[in-house]
Amino acid sequence: EGHYKVGNKLTCLLAIEPGDYRLPPNQLGSVENPRRWVRCIQNGGTTVLVFRDFCDYVCSDIETNAIPGTDDHRIFLWDNLIAHHAAYVNQTVTGRTGPCRFTIVPRPPYQPKYGPIEYKICDLTHEVAMMKQPDWDVTRLEQEVHRAARDIGPFDTTFQHCGYTTV
């Protein structure tokens, strides 16, 4: 029994790119070292505002730290969570005037097998569950979520497994 009490909630938002096969293996953005974005919110859920802010964080990071030849056009792929379909989120992603173009492709509803991120969320959850210690508080749990997200393996084969091409 640690400091993480029943009733506390940690909502984690995770985005991972498949990586670009043209980049050298150790370069950020490559297949072997894809960029990952994580946000954790204590005692809250994935509201439209929370999800919009996360999308803005991801898009802004890509615009600010663009990888030449890779970030001209980025596609967001997500399911039918209500927050995903809000006009505010859509405008935040597709209405940008920066150097990168962003589009949204909805996945079929209730089909997690077609969602590459779902497999990586399972990997992350498994990794944190295996490391969990009884004395962890919510802050430590959040730190471990960030560590596990940083350490999950390549993502391109997960896209291929779900039927998407990454080339």
Side-chain angles (χ1 to χ4, degrees), residues 34-154:
R35 290 177 290 188
R36 300 158 174 91
W37 298 270
V38 182
R39 282 266 169 97
C40 296
I41 298 108
Q42 292 184 23
N43 297 316
T46 308
T47 65
V48 169
L49 292 177
V50 165
F51 190 64
R52 179 260 171 217
D53 288 348
F54 181 68
C55 290
D56 186 55
Y57 161 66
V58 173
C59 291
S60 295
D61 183 60
I62 290 170
E63 290 169 333
T64 304
N65 303 298
I67 299 170
T70 296
D71 289 330
D72 301 333
H73 180 217
R74 283 291 170 191
I75 299 170
F76 285 76
L77 176 67
W78 52 54
D79 62 17
N80 65 334
L81 183 70
I82 291 172
H84 293 167
H85 299 285
Y88 190 37
V89 171
N90 189 296
Q91 179 60 34
T92 298
V93 173
T94 63
R96 303 181 84 81
T97 58
C100 306
R101 185 167 63 97
F102 298 95
T103 55
I104 298 167
V105 174
R107 275 190 358 236
Y110 308 107
Q111 296 289 324
K113 67 183 177 184
Y114 298 124
I117 195 69
E118 305 297 341
Y119 294 92
K120 292 304 175 180
I121 289 170
C122 288
D123 289 349
L124 185 143
T125 303
H126 175 75
E127 176 67 20
V128 172
M130 297 304 293
M131 300 297 294
K132 170 78 176 77
Q133 297 298 314
D135 62 340
W136 285 7
D137 59 11
V138 179
T139 302
R140 175 65 189 274
L141 181 62
E142 185 175 336
Q143 291 169 349
E144 292 301 321
V145 165
H146 281 270
R147 181 202 54 75
R150 184 187 64 240
D151 294 345
I152 17 186

Side-chain angles (χ1 to χ4, degrees), residues 19-32:
D20 190 325
Y21 69 94
R22 299 170 297 177
L23 297 175
N26 292 328
Q27 182 177 337
L28 188 61
S30 68
V31 169
E32 295 81 3

